[in-house]
PDB file of all heavy atoms in Angstrom:
ATOM      1  N   ARG A 548      -0.082  -1.580  -5.081  1.00 95.00           N
ATOM      2  CA  ARG A 548       0.875  -1.990  -6.205  1.00 95.00           C
ATOM      3  C   ARG A 548       1.519  -3.320  -5.806  1.00 95.00           C
ATOM      4  O   ARG A 548       1.799  -3.497  -4.693  1.00 95.00           O
ATOM      5  CB  ARG A 548       1.861  -0.885  -6.399  1.00 95.00           C
ATOM      6  CG  ARG A 548       1.534   0.276  -7.373  1.00 95.00           C
ATOM      7  CD  ARG A 548       0.444   1.026  -6.900  1.00 95.00           C
ATOM      8  NE  ARG A 548       0.375   2.273  -7.827  1.00 95.00           N
ATOM      9  CZ  ARG A 548      -0.692   3.087  -7.773  1.00 95.00           C
ATOM     10  NH1 ARG A 548      -1.666   2.927  -6.796  1.00 95.00           N
ATOM     11  NH2 ARG A 548      -0.624   4.133  -8.499  1.00 95.00           N
ATOM     12  N   TYR A 549       1.821  -4.105  -6.796  1.00 94.00           N
ATOM     13  CA  TYR A 549       2.373  -5.382  -6.590  1.00 94.00           C
ATOM     14  C   TYR A 549       3.826  -5.373  -7.021  1.00 94.00           C
ATOM     15  O   TYR A 549       4.213  -4.866  -7.997  1.00 94.00           O
ATOM     16  CB  TYR A 549       1.645  -6.427  -7.520  1.00 94.00           C
ATOM     17  CG  TYR A 549       0.177  -6.624  -7.012  1.00 94.00           C
ATOM     18  CD1 TYR A 549      -0.814  -5.844  -7.560  1.00 94.00           C
ATOM     19  CD2 TYR A 549      -0.150  -7.587  -6.068  1.00 94.00           C
ATOM     20  CE1 TYR A 549      -2.154  -5.999  -7.063  1.00 94.00           C
ATOM     21  CE2 TYR A 549      -1.423  -7.767  -5.627  1.00 94.00           C
ATOM     22  CZ  TYR A 549      -2.462  -6.931  -6.138  1.00 94.00           C
ATOM     23  OH  TYR A 549      -3.780  -7.061  -5.584  1.00 94.00           O
ATOM     24  N   TYR A 550       4.595  -6.121  -6.227  1.00 96.00           N
ATOM     25  CA  TYR A 550       6.012  -6.320  -6.472  1.00 96.00           C
ATOM     26  C   TYR A 550       6.437  -7.744  -6.280  1.00 96.00           C
ATOM     27  O   TYR A 550       5.924  -8.381  -5.364  1.00 96.00           O
ATOM     28  CB  TYR A 550       6.914  -5.284  -5.614  1.00 96.00           C
ATOM     29  CG  TYR A 550       6.608  -3.902  -5.996  1.00 96.00           C
ATOM     30  CD1 TYR A 550       5.570  -3.172  -5.307  1.00 96.00           C
ATOM     31  CD2 TYR A 550       7.146  -3.333  -7.029  1.00 96.00           C
ATOM     32  CE1 TYR A 550       5.200  -1.839  -5.769  1.00 96.00           C
ATOM     33  CE2 TYR A 550       6.844  -2.032  -7.459  1.00 96.00           C
ATOM     34  CZ  TYR A 550       5.825  -1.317  -6.869  1.00 96.00           C
ATOM     35  OH  TYR A 550       5.563  -0.073  -7.166  1.00 96.00           O
ATOM     36  N   SER A 551       7.234  -8.244  -7.304  1.00 96.00           N
ATOM     37  CA  SER A 551       7.559  -9.650  -7.032  1.00 96.00           C
ATOM     38  C   SER A 551       8.704  -9.814  -5.948  1.00 96.00           C
ATOM     39  O   SER A 551       9.634  -8.965  -5.834  1.00 96.00           O
ATOM     40  CB  SER A 551       8.269 -10.133  -8.380  1.00 96.00           C
ATOM     41  OG  SER A 551       7.514  -9.652  -9.489  1.00 96.00           O
ATOM     42  N   ALA A 566      12.574  -5.476  -5.996  1.00 96.00           N
ATOM     43  CA  ALA A 566      13.281  -4.424  -6.819  1.00 96.00           C
ATOM     44  C   ALA A 566      12.213  -3.595  -7.511  1.00 96.00           C
ATOM     45  O   ALA A 566      11.227  -4.158  -8.032  1.00 96.00           O
ATOM     46  CB  ALA A 566      14.148  -5.081  -7.805  1.00 96.00           C
ATOM     47  N   TYR A 572       7.047   9.599 -16.357  1.00 92.00           N
ATOM     48  CA  TYR A 572       6.377   9.733 -17.665  1.00 92.00           C
ATOM     49  C   TYR A 572       5.862  11.169 -17.883  1.00 92.00           C
ATOM     50  O   TYR A 572       5.949  12.014 -17.013  1.00 92.00           O
ATOM     51  CB  TYR A 572       5.191   8.777 -17.769  1.00 92.00           C
ATOM     52  CG  TYR A 572       4.072   9.074 -16.805  1.00 92.00           C
ATOM     53  CD1 TYR A 572       2.919   9.715 -17.102  1.00 92.00           C
ATOM     54  CD2 TYR A 572       4.333   8.579 -15.424  1.00 92.00           C
ATOM     55  CE1 TYR A 572       1.890   9.904 -16.132  1.00 92.00           C
ATOM     56  CE2 TYR A 572       3.296   8.790 -14.457  1.00 92.00           C
ATOM     57  CZ  TYR A 572       2.095   9.403 -14.767  1.00 92.00           C
ATOM     58  OH  TYR A 572       1.118   9.572 -13.878  1.00 92.00           O
ATOM     59  N   VAL A 585       3.127   7.051  -8.471  1.00 97.00           N
ATOM     60  CA  VAL A 585       2.847   7.309  -7.018  1.00 97.00           C
ATOM     61  C   VAL A 585       3.602   6.410  -6.095  1.00 97.00           C
ATOM     62  O   VAL A 585       4.375   6.924  -5.177  1.00 97.00           O
ATOM     63  CB  VAL A 585       1.264   7.036  -6.623  1.00 97.00           C
ATOM     64  CG1 VAL A 585       1.001   7.192  -5.294  1.00 97.00           C
ATOM     65  CG2 VAL A 585       0.425   8.018  -7.610  1.00 97.00           C
ATOM     66  N   CYS A 586       3.622   5.047  -6.356  1.00 97.00           N
ATOM     67  CA  CYS A 586       4.192   4.121  -5.393  1.00 97.00           C
ATOM     68  C   CYS A 586       5.685   4.310  -5.480  1.00 97.00           C
ATOM     69  O   CYS A 586       6.391   4.336  -4.490  1.00 97.00           O
ATOM     70  CB  CYS A 586       3.690   2.739  -5.629  1.00 97.00           C
ATOM     71  SG  CYS A 586       4.208   1.538  -4.486  1.00 97.00           S
ATOM     72  N   THR A 587       6.241   4.324  -6.754  1.00 97.00           N
ATOM     73  CA  THR A 587       7.659   4.157  -6.887  1.00 97.00           C
ATOM     74  C   THR A 587       8.321   5.400  -6.433  1.00 97.00           C
ATOM     75  O   THR A 587       9.475   5.489  -5.886  1.00 97.00           O
ATOM     76  CB  THR A 587       8.110   3.688  -8.310  1.00 97.00           C
ATOM     77  OG1 THR A 587       7.404   4.632  -9.280  1.00 97.00           O
ATOM     78  CG2 THR A 587       7.747   2.376  -8.540  1.00 97.00           C
TER      79      THR A 587
HETATM   80  C1  LIG B 308       2.111  -9.140 -10.711  1.00 72.94           C
HETATM   81  C2  LIG B 308       2.901  -7.881 -10.779  1.00 72.94           C
HETATM   82  C3  LIG B 308       4.213  -7.833 -10.374  1.00 72.94           C
HETATM   83  C4  LIG B 308       4.952  -6.682 -10.393  1.00 72.94           C
HETATM   84  N1  LIG B 308       6.273  -6.688 -10.067  1.00 72.94           N
HETATM   85  C5  LIG B 308       7.017  -5.508 -10.083  1.00 72.94           C
HETATM   86  C6  LIG B 308       8.283  -5.507  -9.687  1.00 72.94           C
HETATM   87  O1  LIG B 308       8.805  -6.607  -9.320  1.00 72.94           O
HETATM   88  N2  LIG B 308       9.064  -4.384  -9.834  1.00 72.94           N
HETATM   89  C7  LIG B 308       8.460  -3.259 -10.421  1.00 72.94           C
HETATM   90  O2  LIG B 308       9.213  -2.260 -10.500  1.00 72.94           O
HETATM   91  N3  LIG B 308       7.180  -3.157 -10.762  1.00 72.94           N
HETATM   92  C8  LIG B 308       6.395  -4.339 -10.635  1.00 72.94           C
HETATM   93  N4  LIG B 308       5.003  -4.253 -10.963  1.00 72.94           N
HETATM   94  C9  LIG B 308       4.495  -2.964 -11.331  1.00 72.94           C
HETATM   95  C10 LIG B 308       4.065  -2.228 -10.129  1.00 72.94           C
HETATM   96  O3  LIG B 308       3.058  -2.911  -9.584  1.00 72.94           O
HETATM   97  C11 LIG B 308       3.565  -0.731 -10.424  1.00 72.94           C
HETATM   98  O4  LIG B 308       2.571  -0.861 -11.384  1.00 72.94           O
HETATM   99  C12 LIG B 308       4.715   0.110 -10.948  1.00 72.94           C
HETATM  100  O5  LIG B 308       5.805   0.111 -10.074  1.00 72.94           O
HETATM  101  C13 LIG B 308       4.300   1.565 -11.059  1.00 72.94           C
HETATM  102  O6  LIG B 308       3.606   2.043  -9.942  1.00 72.94           O
HETATM  103  P1  LIG B 308       3.553   3.612  -9.585  1.00 72.94           P
HETATM  104  O7  LIG B 308       2.545   3.738  -8.433  1.00 72.94           O
HETATM  105  O8  LIG B 308       4.913   4.142  -9.336  1.00 72.94           O
HETATM  106  O9  LIG B 308       3.101   4.215 -10.865  1.00 72.94           O
HETATM  107  P2  LIG B 308       1.558   4.745 -11.123  1.00 72.94           P
HETATM  108  O10 LIG B 308       1.367   5.882 -10.362  1.00 72.94           O
HETATM  109  O11 LIG B 308       0.693   3.564 -11.023  1.00 72.94           O
HETATM  110  O12 LIG B 308       1.703   5.131 -12.766  1.00 72.94           O
HETATM  111  C14 LIG B 308       1.027   6.226 -13.095  1.00 72.94           C
HETATM  112  C15 LIG B 308       0.746   6.144 -14.544  1.00 72.94           C
HETATM  113  O13 LIG B 308       2.005   6.118 -15.190  1.00 72.94           O
HETATM  114  C16 LIG B 308       1.817   5.516 -16.447  1.00 72.94           C
HETATM  115  N5  LIG B 308       2.819   4.641 -16.469  1.00 72.94           N
HETATM  116  C17 LIG B 308       3.095   3.634 -15.610  1.00 72.94           C
HETATM  117  N6  LIG B 308       4.116   2.966 -16.056  1.00 72.94           N
HETATM  118  C18 LIG B 308       4.509   3.563 -17.163  1.00 72.94           C
HETATM  119  C19 LIG B 308       5.743   3.377 -18.019  1.00 72.94           C
HETATM  120  N7  LIG B 308       6.579   2.458 -17.813  1.00 72.94           N
HETATM  121  N8  LIG B 308       5.765   4.261 -19.100  1.00 72.94           N
HETATM  122  C20 LIG B 308       4.869   5.236 -19.279  1.00 72.94           C
HETATM  123  N9  LIG B 308       3.846   5.486 -18.534  1.00 72.94           N
HETATM  124  C21 LIG B 308       3.747   4.676 -17.487  1.00 72.94           C
HETATM  125  C22 LIG B 308       0.369   4.955 -16.378  1.00 72.94           C
HETATM  126  O14 LIG B 308      -0.394   5.661 -17.179  1.00 72.94           O
HETATM  127  C23 LIG B 308      -0.033   4.959 -15.021  1.00 72.94           C
HETATM  128  O15 LIG B 308      -1.360   5.193 -14.884  1.00 72.94           O
HETATM  129  C24 LIG B 308       4.333  -5.551 -10.927  1.00 72.94           C
HETATM  130  C25 LIG B 308       2.979  -5.519 -11.302  1.00 72.94           C
HETATM  131  C26 LIG B 308       2.287  -6.698 -11.200  1.00 72.94           C
HETATM  132  C27 LIG B 308       0.862  -6.680 -11.600  1.00 72.94           C
END
Side-chain angles (χ1 to χ4, degrees):
R548 268 60 168 178
Y549 293 87
Y550 295 92
S551 314
Y572 60 103
V585 175
C586 186
T587 48

